Amino acid sequence: MHYREIIESIEKDLKALPKKLLQASEILAGNVDYEVAQTPAEVVYSEDKMRLLHYHRIAKKNLVHDTPVLIVYALINRHIMLDLEPGRSFVQNLLNEGLDVYIIDWGYPTGADRYLTLDDYLNYYLDKAVEKIKSDHAVDKINLMGICMGGTFNVIYTALHPEKVKNLITLATPTNFDVDEALLFLWAKKFDVDKIVDVLGNLPGDLANYLYLLVTPIDAINKYVRFADNIENKKMVSTFLRMEKWIFDSPDMSGAVFREYIGKLFQKNLLIKNRLRINDQKVELKNIRCPLLNVYGKNDYLAPPASSKPLAEAVGSKDIQTLAVDTGHVGIFVGSRSYKTICPKIVEWIRAR
Amino acid sequence: MDTDIQDKILEQMQRTGSLYFEWVQSIFESGQESSKDNWEKMVRQLSENVFGAFHEIAGKYLKAPPLGIYREIIQQLMETVDVQHRFTAEINDFFVKLSRPLGQSLKTLDQVFKSKDASNPSFKTSQEVYDFLSKCLEKEYDAYLKSPEGVQGVADLIHGYVAYREKVDGVKDIWLKSLSIPTTKEMADVYKSIYELKKKVRTQDQRIAEKKLDMKRLSDRIKMLESGANVKSGKKKSDG
């Protein structure tokens, strides 16, 4: 062991510390820009707390497809992650590639929304958004893109309303919940979900957030160490604060949806078994006959490959493409790999259909 | 109040204080195996003592009658104190167990430092030491959190929080009731009624839209039949 070198390097770090702290305080006390979701968009429809946003198209770009794309995000955290900052925006990249993009903002549910079920979210709010886009663009079908839980929503919606979906794109989307390698799946199986909902009403966003952080506790600490290491870098500080804003901006989840999602999907795994019922309608995955692009991260610890891959086998589509990417959960829609590889591939796939 | 009563109240408070101290001590020891029974016993003792002391002070010394709403409030309050003790103990137990992988990783790091085995990493910078420790921690935490004990620990913590909230809401509701403010339960019923009403309105809207569509189809059909009839009668006239 090189004890002398280690002590010397600690000394060096300690000597550099005061200067670093001074720089950090100057940056943090100054005007750090940490605005998120800056891509211009217009609210074209809203109902209760849900809003449908239509991003302004890039004027010089020709549309690659007549059919618009509707992005559906999860009820956990907010869609702002897809538009983190100029130059690091999944949405901006899709617009740059020439897509016409809509997104659903689910808003912040309160105690009054605790009774909203999957049926309300899928057969009402999501359906209203789809109908609005269809009517505005005079098309019979739209392209649906779903992320994580939003992807699961889209899968169920497409199985129930196959006539309204032209192409289905799922990103980091779990459909098989009988997987032991993901901590969230293991924990969810142990929850007394009825008791939790009966007492709390909604699932508190902060509680969900702590569980997410507990999945990788060392990462949750290490990111602050890395932040401290790069604190004199204004651009990095800005991006870090934006990420933090996204992570801790956790809306509560409707209690009824939480009850159904955990009880029927995580605990009983009914979706992939074709035994899920939404408002008495059976969700048959074989009803999904439109082209499917299923994108998953090989290192995704929240929705591991074993939970995403089986969708391709379960649907009735003949045109199925699976895209396995060397990244984790968030890396699919944030980061250079996402913008340079995944976005162009998604657009190329849509263009061909 | 005479000094004798004051002394007795102080004595009660002192007893509760020392039980709190023992309780905290037992929580910190709960990281060791088979100590959960220990703190369960402590929680019970502590809650019983707080409950008894309150009754003694309020009833015997301050002469407050333990009747009606007062009695209900005290009962609920004491149950909340008990569940809060349990939840705090659950949190501490969780964190003590969560610190085990940290201890294990530090032990591994210590062994690497002491080892003369050439296959072990030889650190040159503090960063390398930190990175090695991070990797050890990641491995240890992943194994612990995925173990049946780790999974159960998280579930117990969540259920402990839910039990605590249930009691707190119960007490809150009694206070709200006494202040003539709608209780949590009453608000939940109001929200449910609004939700059901909205559902009914949506169903009605959908039916109205369907009826309108039917009417439009019918009116189109009538128009078509009328125009067909006009053409026929015009043809007949011209034939005639």
Side-chain angles (χ1 to χ4, degrees), chain B residues 22-236:
Chain B
E22 275 182 55
W23 173 64
V24 169
Q25 212 170 7
S26 75
I27 286 166
F28 279 108
E29 282 165 7
S30 69
Q32 292 153 23
E33 300 308 323
S34 73
S35 65
K36 190 156 181 170
D37 290 347
N38 232 5
W39 68 253
E40 281 277 359
K41 208 170 80 192
M42 275 309 304
V43 165
R44 212 168 37 245
Q45 260 185 22
L46 179 63
S47 297
E48 276 168 13
N49 184 72
V50 171
F51 190 68
F54 191 87
H55 264 296
E56 216 169 295
I57 292 168
K60 201 168 155 189
Y61 307 130
L62 304 178
K63 318 260 187 257
L67 299 166
I69 282 199
Y70 164 81
R71 190 171 153 183
E72 194 189 352
I73 290 171
I74 298 303
Q75 182 67 30
Q76 292 287 342
L77 207 65
M78 288 307 140
E79 280 180 24
T80 311
V81 169
D82 180 53
V83 85
Q84 199 237 331
H85 287 153
R86 284 172 193 284
F87 181 48
T88 314
E90 200 76 65
I91 293 174
N92 283 289
D93 188 53
F94 177 77
F95 279 108
V96 167
K97 282 177 183 156
L98 203 65
S99 68
R100 276 191 217 152
L102 174 66
Q104 188 54 46
S105 302
L106 288 172
K107 219 182 264 177
T108 311
L109 184 68
D110 187 47
Q111 279 164 4
V112 169
F113 264 103
K114 283 177 185 160
S115 162
K116 291 191 165 60
D117 189 346
S119 65
N120 275 327
S122 182
F123 308 120
K124 283 184 183 160
T125 64
S126 55
Q127 186 64 46
E128 283 174 8
V129 178
Y130 181 82
D131 290 346
F132 177 80
L133 184 62
S134 283
K135 273 196 186 129
C136 284
L137 284 166
E138 269 169 23
K139 206 177 116 202
E140 292 289 341
Y141 271 103
D142 196 52
Y144 170 69
L145 289 168
K146 279 182 182 163
S147 72
E149 191 192 9
V151 170
Q152 194 58 49
V154 172
D156 287 348
L157 188 67
I158 300 286
H159 295 147
Y161 171 67
V162 170
Y164 167 69
R165 275 286 306 272
E166 192 177 22
K167 279 287 159 212
V168 171
D169 286 352
V171 172
K172 206 167 74 187
D173 275 1
I174 295 171
W175 287 111
L176 291 173
K177 218 166 21 180
S178 70
L179 296 168
S180 284
I181 295 171
T183 62
T184 319
K185 169 84 181 60
E186 283 165 338
M187 281 313 291
D189 290 345
V190 170
Y191 291 145
K192 187 155 198 183
S193 305
I194 295 172
Y195 168 74
E196 279 164 0
L197 206 64
K198 267 189 179 174
K199 279 277 242 196
K200 269 184 199 160
V201 170
R202 279 171 195 168
T203 315
Q204 293 298 340
D205 279 349
Q206 203 181 339
R207 278 193 194 143
I208 291 167
E210 281 165 11
K211 291 285 171 214
K212 272 187 182 165
L213 203 69
D214 283 349
M215 279 164 69
K216 192 181 174 298
R217 276 191 205 122
L218 270 174
S219 131
D220 289 348
R221 178 101 181 113
I222 291 166
K223 273 183 199 157
M224 212 172 73
L225 286 170
E226 275 177 356
S227 64
N230 285 342
V231 170
K232 268 187 190 169
S233 67
K235 206 177 168 192
K236 266 186 190 166

Side-chain angles (χ1 to χ4, degrees), chain A residues 171-235:
Chain A
L171 307 173
T173 294
T175 44
N176 171 32
F177 295 85
D178 199 9
V179 175
D180 284 343
E181 63 209 70
L183 266 173
L184 282 177
F185 290 40
L186 289 173
W187 291 339
K189 283 185 177 68
K190 289 273 176 191
F191 288 163
D192 182 351
V193 70
D194 288 329
K195 183 81 183 166
I196 293 174
V197 175
D198 289 345
V199 173
L200 302 181
N202 286 333
L203 172 74
D206 288 338
L207 184 63
N209 223 350
Y210 291 136
L211 288 177
Y212 275 108
L213 293 176
L214 194 60
V215 171
T216 52
I218 305 307
D219 262 3
I221 295 164
N222 269 346
K223 69 173 179 178
Y224 293 106
V225 176
R226 281 194 296 272
F227 173 63
D229 277 348
N230 295 292
I231 204 154
E232 69 273 24
N233 181 343
K234 202 172 174 179
K235 178 89 182 69

